[in-house]
């Protein structure tokens, strides 16, 4: 099975296995934003050598190989182990850096640990971008010290609008728009949605419905037509599975369930032009 999966899909499945990605199809899990979400990502549970290796491998796969960088910066605190791990994975003489929470006025001094960053091409690595402040502060610190930011990598992108009132874009999109720097994610919410229909063991119509409803309410769509198309198809597959379950388990073999079941099969058998026309309307 793993041989048929992409790097982001393997990461999500592993993350579920170590409970670093929690799922709650009923009441939801309270986020820092106050939202009740059916998903919650906790990078702190990548706390063994094996799990860290898998996470770093996913980061490494997410970063295009044609991007040249000679330094990796991880915002304290979680970014410290991530930057060192990615530097070891990349190998060679690539350096890793991180920041101090407070300025040091003795010894090597300064706020950056790892030597001089001046003139270096830097990749920022962090676990998530909830509000974006950590990565934005790191970007400013790097430029202040003469470095050039080439890109940002995060472990999991929730792909939802920020909860600070800027309801049109996510923290990732806001950073990309402000700095003109791309953010690469090792996995995202759409990865999980796609896996429900790709891996039989993960199939759960009730959970799928909860996640799709949450993304419909808080999800971001700017420049993500492909994701919107995928979400629409995921909704259709959810209806297909739910109606099929209802039909097979109903003592009365509900006529409505049968009609819905037949209708969805008809829709899914049509060409993707139907999906395109639906989205562009």
């Amino acid at each position: 099975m793993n041989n048929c999966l992409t790097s982001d899909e393997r990461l999500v499945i592993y993350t579920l296995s170590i409970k670093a990605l929690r799922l709650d199809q009923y009441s939801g899990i309270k986020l820092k934003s106050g939202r009740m979400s059916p998903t919650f990502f906790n990078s702190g549970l990548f706390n063994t050598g094996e799990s860290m290796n898998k996470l770093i491998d996913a980061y490494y796969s997410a970063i295009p190989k044609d991007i040249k960088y000679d330094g990796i910066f991880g915002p304290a605190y979680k970014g410290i182990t991530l930057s060192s791990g990615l530097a070891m994975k990349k190998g060679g003489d690539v350096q890793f850096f991180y920041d101090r929470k407070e300025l040091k006025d003795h010894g090597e001094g300064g706020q950056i640990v790892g030597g001089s960053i001046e003139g270096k091409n830097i990749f920022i690595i962090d676990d998530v971008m909830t509000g974006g402040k950590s990565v934005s502060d790191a970007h400013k610190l790097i430029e202040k010290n003469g470095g050039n930011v080439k890109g940002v990598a995060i472990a999991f992108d929730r792909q939802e609008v920020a909860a600070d009132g800027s309801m049109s874009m996510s923290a990732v999109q806001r950073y990309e728009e402000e700095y003109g720097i791309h953010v690469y994610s090792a996995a995202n919410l759409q990865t999980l949605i796609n896996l429900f229909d790709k891996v039989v063991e993960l199939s759960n119509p009730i959970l799928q419905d909860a996640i799709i409803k949450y993304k419909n309410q808080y999800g971001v769509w700017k420049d993500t037509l492909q994701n919107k198309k995928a979400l629409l198809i995921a909704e259709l597959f959810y209806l297909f599975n739910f109606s099929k379950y209802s039909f097979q388990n109903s003592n009365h073999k509900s006529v409505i369930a049968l009609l819905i079941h037949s209708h969805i099969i008809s829709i899914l058998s049509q060409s993707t032009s139907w999906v395109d026309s639906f989205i562009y309307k």
Side-chain angles (χ1 to χ4, degrees):
M1 170 62 73
N2 271 358
N3 293 333
C4 301
L5 301 175
T6 59
S7 173
D8 58 330
E9 291 171 340
R10 288 194 297 272
L11 176 64
V12 167
I13 289 176
Y14 182 74
T15 302
L16 289 168
S17 74
I18 63 171
K19 296 182 170 39
L21 182 58
R22 289 174 53 201
L23 306 175
D24 188 325
Q25 63 198 45
Y26 299 112
S27 58
I29 304 159
K30 189 172 184 179
L31 306 179
K32 185 178 181 180
S33 63
R35 294 171 181 165
M36 298 302 294
S37 169
T39 64
F40 177 73
F41 179 78
N42 179 10
S43 65
L45 292 181
F46 286 88
N47 53 15
T48 66
E50 178 188 22
S51 62
M52 183 56 68
N53 276 332
K54 290 184 181 294
L55 180 59
I56 294 300
D57 284 347
Y59 273 113
Y60 187 73
S61 296
I63 301 173
K65 301 302 179 284
D66 60 346
I67 298 180
K68 306 301 180 184
Y69 56 97
D70 45 24
I72 302 164
F73 186 97
Y77 290 102
K78 288 183 178 178
I80 296 175
T81 53
L82 296 174
S83 63
S84 59
L86 184 57
M88 288 189 287
K89 175 69 177 180
K90 185 169 176 60
D93 56 0
V94 64
Q95 292 179 255
F96 66 92
F97 308 87
Y98 59 91
D99 59 322
R100 295 187 177 93
K101 291 297 185 181
E102 297 179 356
L103 284 171
K104 184 178 179 182
D105 59 4
H106 61 281
E108 63 180 339
Q111 193 175 354
I112 296 178
V113 178
S116 174
I117 214 165
E118 186 174 359
K120 295 189 179 297
N121 293 320
I122 304 296
F123 220 97
I124 300 173
I125 184 171
D126 210 352
D127 60 342
V128 295
M129 284 181 71
T130 305
K133 186 177 185 303
S134 176
V135 170
S136 181
D137 287 348
H139 187 117
K140 293 173 184 176
L141 180 63
I142 291 166
E143 289 193 334
K144 180 182 176 181
N145 285 270
N148 307 303
V149 178
K150 302 298 290 183
V152 177
I154 59 175
F156 191 79
D157 183 1
R158 293 186 56 83
Q159 297 180 306
E160 65 182 74
V161 292
D164 60 2
S166 57
M167 293 298 289
S168 62
M169 62 178 65
S170 68
V172 168
Q173 292 173 327
R174 188 166 51 190
Y175 171 85
E176 290 179 330
E177 184 174 274
E178 181 176 354
Y179 294 100
I181 300 294
H182 192 74
V183 178
Y184 302 91
S185 60
N188 56 43
L189 186 62
Q190 190 62 49
T191 309
L192 175 62
I193 291 173
N194 294 342
L195 278 171
F196 283 130
D197 296 312
K198 193 171 183 178
V199 179
V200 176
E201 292 81 2
L202 293 179
S203 181
N204 183 333
I206 296 176
L207 179 59
Q208 285 177 264
D209 187 44
I211 292 174
I212 289 171
K213 284 180 178 177
Y214 184 88
K215 188 163 187 179
N216 281 341
Q217 183 173 3
Y218 298 115
V220 290
W221 301 114
K222 181 182 178 184
D223 296 328
T224 55
L225 177 60
Q226 193 62 38
N227 281 349
K228 188 171 184 179
K229 186 184 297 184
L231 184 61
L232 176 61
I233 293 172
E235 283 194 85
L236 290 172
F237 270 108
Y238 158 71
L239 290 171
F240 174 83
N241 289 332
F242 186 79
S243 61
K244 181 179 178 182
Y245 175 84
S246 300
F247 177 67
Q248 290 177 341
N249 292 277
S250 171
N251 292 329
H252 303 289
K253 300 296 183 184
S254 169
V255 174
I256 295 177
L258 177 59
L259 288 174
I260 293 175
H261 188 190
S262 300
H263 181 60
I264 293 172
I265 290 175
S266 175
I267 290 173
L268 291 176
S269 66
Q270 296 180 47
S271 68
T272 55
S273 61
W274 180 89
V275 178
D276 291 331
S277 64
F278 182 91
I279 292 172
Y280 283 114
K281 281 183 178 179

